[in-house]
Amino acid sequence: SNSLNASPKMSGSMSSRRAVGITWMIGEVGGAKVVRHGGSTFGQRATLLLVPSRSFAIAVLTNADRGEALTARVTRWALEHYLQLVDPPLVPLVRSADELAQYAGRYVGALGDVVATVSEGQLTLQPVPTGAEPELADTLPATAGFIGEDRFVALGDPDDTRRGEFLRGTPGTIAWLRFHGRLYGRERSA
């Protein structure tokens, strides 16, 4: 577990490949520290999950656009059956349409955009592919259920894999959207 804390950040040139660190997502499941990193591109999804205190690791690789559903089910099953670690279900917070309005807008990313709209008291996130192969992109809309101030989970996702958060800029206004492992900058109004 200490080796994770001592991972190299970045040194030398990229061509030397002598030191490039990985970004770990750190959280808890059933009270145990969990460290994970996932990756995806069009048509592929993967995750690596570690529980350092229990000397446990699992890697799941898929060849599917919605492969995170499988990675979530497999890792959740493994944590429960091998380590008896289970998280309680998430309960979304109630937000008014006025509270949701601050999140509405277009968020621009490297592989596509996300358009956030408020309708009938719900915030919907619609991925919009802009890459070279839009037919391979995930365009499944998500209704955000807030589980923290600016953190949310996609409602109706049986695998609880589509999570994200809105990030604020210096004046306290929404500037970024982190969703599905990607970062999107908020498009400025003309």
Side-chain angles (χ1 to χ4, degrees):
S1 66
N2 287 336
S3 64
L4 292 176
N5 297 332
S7 296
K9 306 296 185 253
M10 179 88 123
S11 65
S13 70
M14 286 300 289
S15 62
S16 70
R17 296 187 183 176
R18 291 182 182 226
V20 175
I22 192 168
T23 303
W24 294 103
M25 309 308 156
I26 301 170
E28 276 192 11
V29 174
K33 179 180 177 180
V34 173
V35 182
R36 71 176 72 207
H37 183 83
S40 65
T41 189
F42 298 123
Q44 302 171 10
R45 303 278 193 238
T47 193
L48 171 63
L49 182 138
L50 311 168
V51 184
S53 67
R54 306 285 284 276
S55 298
F56 179 84
I58 184 170
V60 183
L61 310 163
T62 71
N63 288 328
D65 283 326
R66 290 282 294 149
E68 71 275 4
L70 177 63
T71 64
R73 286 181 185 179
V74 170
T75 56
R76 187 175 292 126
W77 184 92
L79 289 172
E80 181 177 352
H81 288 84
Y82 289 111
L83 305 177
Q84 292 72 50
L85 297 176
V86 180
D87 264 342
L90 297 171
V91 179
L93 305 169
V94 176
R95 295 283 171 90
S96 71
D98 288 339
E99 290 172 305
L100 295 174
Q102 67 181 316
Y103 303 107
R106 187 178 195 98
Y107 297 83
V108 180
L111 299 176
D113 298 349
V114 175
V115 176
T117 57
V118 178
S119 178
E120 299 180 20
Q122 294 187 326
L123 181 69
T124 301
L125 304 172
Q126 177 63 61
V128 179
T130 60
E133 300 182 57
E135 67 278 1
L136 296 177
D138 182 358
T139 58
L140 188 64
T143 300
F146 283 84
I147 56 172
E149 171 131 5
D150 293 323
R151 293 181 9 232
F152 63 88
V153 63
L155 298 176
D157 182 354
D159 299 303
D160 187 28
T161 59
R162 299 175 79 201
R163 296 180 182 215
E165 66 182 321
F166 290 93
L167 305 170
R168 296 180 181 270
T170 49
T173 59
I174 302 298
W176 302 88
L177 165 64
R178 186 181 344 216
F179 182 51
H180 230 297
R182 303 277 182 227
L183 186 63
Y184 303 87
R186 189 171 197 169
E187 189 174 74
R188 294 190 177 144
S189 305

